[in-house]
């Protein structure tokens, strides 16, 4: 190898320019675009682009694309580069050019924030609609399942076609879906065919096919109003939960839609807060909490509530 071919010499030659060193000092602090570097260094774009190319060719900077913008940052890919940069930086620090660059960088970054602050200063009245228009209204509820412990086994009791099972499965170790209806379970199996951590069991909520104290949480979504004795299902939920594990119930507040009995086999026209609290306490749950759920814009059914309880 000739001396000229030593990579270290390329690195040194790229560093042998005060402007390029000022650039690296800025790019160490923050990812910046070419136009932001121009604003901080007070140099024309052609100069900044040329110097960036020299630095990129010697592997002192990397870049990434974000839409139509490209952001540059300092790259220290080897121990030698690290050592060289420490020495160079020590020389630059405290120099007035570097201090002025740092002040102008603060102004450039403040201008970035100002664009977003200005948007939110005028968008507060329309943000909720815009958020729904852009992203729909249920992504946050789906994302919040990510707070559940990923070591958990969860029982989705009366899982039906697997709507709740589908929300939980990506975030937990194992989901056991239980339902009495072969047809509903078949639909759930089709819906969740690609998930590897779900097990569907045909069975009754009043005699669950699950061993005692084996699950970390249980859900009963829109199920209790179908059961002649919801208290029995809650007692079963308590039996399969580990000590201090929680049950989550979503069901209807009291309503007068008598026709639901014939149309959908409802046994109960909703549950009052008192009824739920008593049933949960009798089944052995403490820390019982109930919250009315705000109706979705498009919802035509009765108001819903959620209830949680912790097994003793
Ligand atoms: C209204 S669906 C709700 C399904 C699902 N939890 C959801 O949120 O979409 C009620 C489900 O409970 C099941 N179910 C009703 N009574 C049951 C019982 N005694 N044992 C097991 N499953 C039952 C039904 O088969 C049905 O799939």
């Amino acid at each position: 190898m000739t001396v000229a071919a030593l990579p270290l010499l390329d690195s040194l030659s790229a560093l042998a320019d005060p402007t390029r060193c000022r650039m690296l000092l800025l790019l160490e602090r923050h990812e910046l675009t070419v136009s932001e570097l121009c604003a901080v260094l007070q140099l024309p774009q052609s100069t900044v682009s040329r110097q960036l190319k020299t630095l990129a060719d010697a592997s002192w900077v990397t870049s990434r694309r974000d839409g139509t913008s490209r952001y540059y940052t300092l790259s220290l890919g080897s121990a030698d580069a690290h050592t060289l940069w420490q020495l160079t930086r020590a020389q630059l620090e405290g120099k007035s050019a570097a201090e002025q660059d740092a002040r102008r960088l603060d102004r450039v970054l403040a201008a970035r924030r100002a664009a977003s602050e200005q948007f939110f200063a005028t968008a507060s009245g329309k943000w909720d609609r815009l958020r729904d228009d852009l992203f729909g209204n249920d992504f946050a509820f789906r994302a919040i399942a990510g707070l559940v412990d990923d070591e958990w086994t969860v029982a989705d009791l009366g899982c039906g076609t697997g709507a709740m099972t589908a929300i939980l499965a990506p975030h937990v170790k194992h989901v056991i879906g239980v339902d009495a209806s072969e047809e509903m379970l078949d639909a759930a199996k089709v819906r969740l065919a690609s998930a590897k951590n779900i097990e569907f069991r045909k069975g009754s909520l009043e005699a669950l096919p699950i061993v005692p104290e084996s699950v970390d949480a249980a859900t009963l979504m829109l199920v209790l109003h179908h059961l002649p004795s919801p208290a029995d299902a809650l007692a079963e939920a308590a039996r399969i939960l580990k000590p201090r594990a929680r049950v989550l119930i979503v069901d209807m507040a009291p309503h007068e839609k008598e026709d639901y009995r014939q149309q959908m086999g409802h046994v109960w026209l909703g549950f009052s807060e008192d009824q739920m609290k008593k049933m949960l306490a009798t089944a052995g749950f403490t820390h019982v909490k109930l919250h009315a759920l705000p109706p979705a814009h498009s919802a035509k059914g009765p108001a819903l509530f959620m209830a949680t309880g912790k097994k003793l």
Side-chain angles (χ1 to χ4, degrees):
M1 185 187 285
T2 65
V3 171
L6 286 174
L8 188 66
L9 293 186
D10 289 339
S11 296
L12 280 170
S13 117
L15 277 186
D17 177 279
T19 304
R20 291 200 287 269
C21 290
R22 282 166 62 200
M23 276 180 159
L24 291 181
L25 199 59
L26 292 167
L27 295 176
E28 182 182 38
R29 271 187 66 193
H30 224 282
E31 269 194 329
L32 295 169
T33 62
V34 170
S35 57
E36 287 170 334
L37 278 168
C38 292
V40 177
L41 296 164
Q42 301 182 306
L43 290 172
Q45 185 169 336
S46 54
T47 309
V48 168
S49 297
R50 194 177 63 249
Q51 303 288 29
L52 272 176
K53 179 161 184 339
T54 305
L55 289 170
D57 289 347
S59 303
W60 280 110
V61 296
T62 53
S63 67
R64 70 172 178 93
R65 180 166 284 290
D66 186 29
T68 54
S69 306
R70 183 167 284 283
Y71 288 89
Y72 293 85
T73 188
L74 172 72
S75 159
L76 299 177
S78 67
D80 284 347
H82 208 268
T83 310
L84 272 180
W85 175 241
Q86 296 304 322
L87 289 169
T88 311
R89 178 165 7 99
Q91 297 275 306
L92 286 167
E93 269 166 358
K95 295 280 182 302
S96 72
E99 282 174 0
Q100 285 178 33
D101 286 350
R103 277 198 290 278
R104 282 193 295 267
L105 175 61
D106 288 341
R107 275 214 304 277
V108 163
L109 296 177
R112 266 195 204 174
R113 279 192 296 276
S116 132
E117 280 165 13
Q118 197 179 349
F119 168 71
F120 286 110
T122 56
S124 60
K126 54 187 183 215
W127 170 244
D128 289 349
R129 249 228 343 261
L130 182 61
R131 185 178 188 272
D132 278 9
D133 285 352
L134 289 173
F135 309 114
N137 61 9
D138 75 344
F139 67 90
F141 305 115
R142 288 177 177 274
I144 212 162
L147 290 176
V148 168
D149 193 318
D150 58 7
E151 284 300 308
W152 275 10
T153 293
V154 182
D156 184 13
L157 306 177
C159 61
T161 56
M164 187 65 183
T165 318
I167 292 172
L168 287 166
H171 304 289
V172 299
K173 190 169 178 186
H174 192 53
V175 186
I176 305 170
V178 179
D179 205 286
S181 158
E182 199 82 58
E183 291 75 12
M184 294 294 255
L185 285 175
D186 285 346
K189 285 175 194 163
V190 170
R191 174 191 214 146
L192 292 157
S194 61
K196 300 279 177 281
N197 60 341
I198 302 174
E199 191 188 338
F200 289 109
R201 298 184 190 171
K202 186 169 184 299
S204 151
L205 298 189
E206 295 85 351
L208 288 170
I210 300 179
V211 296
E213 301 200 349
S214 59
V215 303
D216 301 283
T219 61
L220 288 145
M221 288 283 137
L222 303 176
V223 176
L224 285 185
H225 59 268
H226 284 286
L227 308 179
S229 174
D232 290 350
L234 292 178
E236 271 297 90
R239 178 183 67 78
I240 63 163
L241 283 167
K242 295 177 185 173
R244 291 176 298 286
R246 281 172 205 275
V247 67
L248 168 67
I249 294 158
V250 171
D251 221 294
M252 281 167 270
H255 63 85
E256 288 171 4
K257 299 198 181 268
E258 196 62 44
D259 48 331
Y260 283 7
R261 292 190 198 276
Q262 280 74 46
Q263 283 170 12
M264 293 183 275
H266 287 200
V267 179
W268 299 81
L269 297 186
F271 298 101
S272 70
E273 192 170 331
D274 249 24
Q275 254 176 316
M276 269 322 299
K277 282 186 171 164
K278 276 190 193 131
M279 279 196 293
L280 280 161
T282 308
F285 290 99
T286 61
H287 299 78
V288 171
K289 286 187 253 172
L290 267 100
H291 294 283
L293 294 174
H297 301 309
S298 56
K300 297 190 178 68
L304 297 175
F305 68 86
M306 59 162 281
T308 54
K310 194 170 177 182
K311 182 178 168 177
L312 273 173

